[in-house]
Amino acid sequence: MRDSGGMGANGTDILTAGMTNDVVPWVDDLIAVRDARDEGAFIRVFGHFGPRVKAFLMRTGMDAALAEECAQEVLVTVWNKAHLYDATRASPSTWIFTIARNKKIDVLRKQRRPEPEDLPWGPESEPDQEAVIGLQQESEKLGRALRDLPEKQRELIEKAYFGDLSHSEIADQTGLPLGTIKSRIRLALERLRHSMK
Amino acid sequence: MTVKHHLTDDLLMAYSAGDLPEAVNLIVATHISLCDECRAALGSYDAVGGAVLDTCTTVEMSKASLNTVLDMIHAQDTQVQDKPVSTRIKDDVLPAPLIDYVGGGLENVRWRSAGMGVKQAILPTSKDATARLLYIPAGTAIPDHGHSGLELTLVLKGAFQDEGGYFGRGDIEVASEDLNHTPVADISEDCICLAVTDAPLKFKGLVPRIAQPFLGI
């Protein structure tokens, strides 16, 4: 369920109700994996994110067999690095995206990826529930904003993240000069930013 | 000390998308280590990536897939702890990503003379872009050096001044090939920088080519 109607209207209701999957999908499950090594929760995370990670990796240029294998490894990493998941800093989708992206760099570019220092990305002693809810609500809002974009604009943003857009492909797909594509992406991002306000 | 010169949004987005050469990733990660503003901006670009992952189409995993994964986690069910070099070494000049590439602190850098008292050390990255540490004695000017593509310069110690402004620790200068600049190290102390240059047309992907700052999301 992604329905979050009225979700932001009364934050305290959400806080007292706890984080249900209705409000912040997958946070509970990921935290159960992190704190309780809950395999049932992991299987649910696998069921939701496995097919998405596989599709993402195929879009970045892997064939189905390689994408399948890498998606499995990404999910194993989710299990192994669950102790690094911090719900005040990333939604489950965002966190799993970064793992899938690093797998892509590792496999397709054969490079390691330098990461910024610190990331006390580990769980804090006193998890701030309000910060968790706030971040997850913003993530939901961003997801809705992305879905609400006109299709062409959404596709361009997706392609930027999949990295599957080359000069010639741009020309082939749209027949537009690069300058126009550039303005379109800027417009898409500005709309996205605007709808986040 | 506050950072005044930041990464461009196109670089942040391309770093988030995983679409940059290793040397460029290194300087982005190093700047972010010193700059909370860009760290936060990166978080928002990662969130766009998460939203893309969430809204994109799905491709069914094979039937055996779940069991394969469960077997894998059962076979090695200990939480994997990452222990890169940088978790053991602290350095006043080199942030963690650089400690990993130098293999230690500043005293471990293997400097080579580049003339005029300037020293450099090229770091081991993939060949599609080059990362080097530069040591510039106080008050020394680096003559305008031709570069055919993007040049990124991040100050780690001391400061330099050029046509683009005054750059202190944490500041990054993003120079394209049409910028004519003659950096001069500040007179007060020797300057250490991380400089990254890309060979022409080596960037892959759309975003870096666009090279126009997006407004932050």
Side-chain angles (χ1 to χ4, degrees):
Chain A
M1 271 298 283
R2 308 204 127 267
D3 178 22
S4 49
M7 156 175 103
N10 189 342
T12 52
D13 278 353
I14 294 163
L15 285 175
T16 49
M19 290 178 291
T20 68
N21 281 337
D22 281 356
V23 178
V24 279
W26 313 111
V27 172
D28 284 352
D29 282 332
L30 209 46
I31 286 174
V33 170
R34 182 187 74 191
D35 297 343
R37 311 307 280 157
D38 181 335
E39 249 183 65
F42 177 74
I43 289 168
R44 286 190 292 277
V45 168
F46 179 95
H48 179 76
F49 285 104
R52 283 170 172 77
V53 170
K54 184 177 175 181
F56 168 78
L57 293 173
M58 286 176 71
R59 285 285 295 273
T60 67
M62 293 185 194
D63 64 33
L66 182 60
E68 167 89 25
E69 189 187 323
C70 289
Q72 289 174 6
E73 287 166 12
V74 167
L75 269 297
V76 170
T77 302
V78 167
W79 176 267
N80 285 339
K81 297 204 171 175
H83 62 287
L84 295 175
Y85 177 65
D86 177 352
T88 66
R89 295 180 59 169
S91 73
S93 307
T94 298
W95 189 63
I96 292 170
F97 159 73
T98 63
I99 295 172
R101 171 204 60 205
N102 292 357
K103 175 58 74 179
K104 174 193 86 170
I105 294 171
D106 184 30
V107 171
L108 291 182
R109 298 185 75 103
K110 312 229 182 299
Q111 292 174 11
R112 64 191 181 118
R113 174 187 161 91
E115 296 282 349
E117 182 169 334
D118 135 60
L119 297 201
W121 174 260
E124 314 222 318
S125 47
E126 239 1 89
D128 180 349
Q129 286 300 91
E130 205 170 338
V132 172
I133 300 284
L135 188 277
Q136 303 303 329
Q137 284 177 343
E138 284 304 312
S139 303
E140 283 292 288
K141 217 159 129 189
L142 178 61
R144 282 199 301 278
L146 187 65
R147 283 192 293 275
D148 289 345
L149 283 179
E151 196 179 337
K152 281 216 161 100
Q153 295 187 358
R154 196 184 68 240
E155 276 177 6
L156 282 169
I157 289 182
E158 287 180 356
K159 282 169 186 293
Y161 275 84
F162 294 131
D164 63 357
L165 208 55
S166 70
H167 264 296
S168 59
E169 280 170 321
I170 294 167
D172 289 345
Q173 286 177 11
T174 64
L176 295 171
L178 195 60
T180 310
I181 297 265
K182 179 179 74 182
S183 335
R184 276 175 176 276
I185 292 199
R186 288 192 64 178
L187 183 66
L189 284 166
E190 279 178 40
R191 284 181 73 140
L192 201 52
R193 188 180 63 103
H194 187 72
S195 62
M196 291 288 290
K197 277 181 183 162
Chain B
M1 187 181 306
T2 39
V3 174
K4 291 192 192 67
H5 298 275
H6 298 278
L7 288 163
T8 56
D9 283 285
D10 59 299
L11 278 169
L12 281 165
M13 190 176 180
Y15 178 77
S16 173
D19 206 18
L20 291 170
E22 185 178 0
V24 182
N25 278 339
L26 177 60
I27 199 168
V28 169
T30 305
H31 174 77
I32 289 171
S33 300
L34 299 169
C35 177
D36 280 349
E37 192 174 321
C38 288
R39 188 189 291 270
L42 173 67
S44 69
Y45 285 110
D46 283 348
V48 175
V52 166
L53 179 68
D54 223 27
T55 52
C56 77
T57 53
T58 59
V59 176
E60 209 177 332
M61 302 279 281
S62 74
K63 291 237 181 332
S65 197
L66 176 60
N67 282 333
T68 306
V69 167
L70 290 176
D71 287 348
M72 284 162 88
I73 68 175
H74 291 149
Q76 40 108 64
D77 190 17
T78 46
Q79 296 216 0
V80 178
Q81 301 288 345
D82 290 321
K83 285 239 164 45
V85 182
S86 52
T87 59
R88 289 180 273 117
I89 297 174
K90 288 284 167 223
D91 191 277
D92 290 340
V93 174
L94 306 183
L98 282 177
I99 289 174
D100 286 338
Y101 277 79
V102 167
L106 195 58
E107 69 281 2
N108 295 94
V109 176
R110 291 152 75 183
W111 296 107
R112 300 270 186 277
S113 173
M116 300 188 316
V118 175
K119 294 183 288 184
Q120 68 165 345
I122 293 180
L123 301 176
T125 64
S126 61
K127 302 287 177 227
D128 44 0
T130 304
R132 73 190 80 215
L133 287 167
L134 287 172
Y135 186 101
I136 309 161
T140 303
I142 305 274
D144 185 30
H145 43 294
H147 45 82
S148 52
L150 186 69
E151 182 184 51
L152 304 164
T153 311
L154 171 66
V155 177
L156 300 165
K157 181 175 184 291
F160 73 81
Q161 174 110 37
D162 72 1
E163 291 80 349
Y166 183 86
F167 295 80
R169 176 168 165 85
D171 284 330
I172 188 165
E173 179 169 58
V174 181
S176 57
E177 61 189 305
D178 49 351
L179 181 80
N180 262 340
H181 65 144
T182 310
V184 182
D186 195 278
I187 196 72
S188 56
E189 65 172 317
D190 295 349
C191 178
I192 296 175
C193 297
L194 173 64
V196 169
T197 47
D198 71 334
L201 300 175
K202 280 294 185 182
F203 274 152
K204 288 183 175 167
L206 172 68
V207 176
R209 276 199 208 104
I210 288 173
Q212 282 285 335
F214 296 117
L215 294 166
I217 288 175

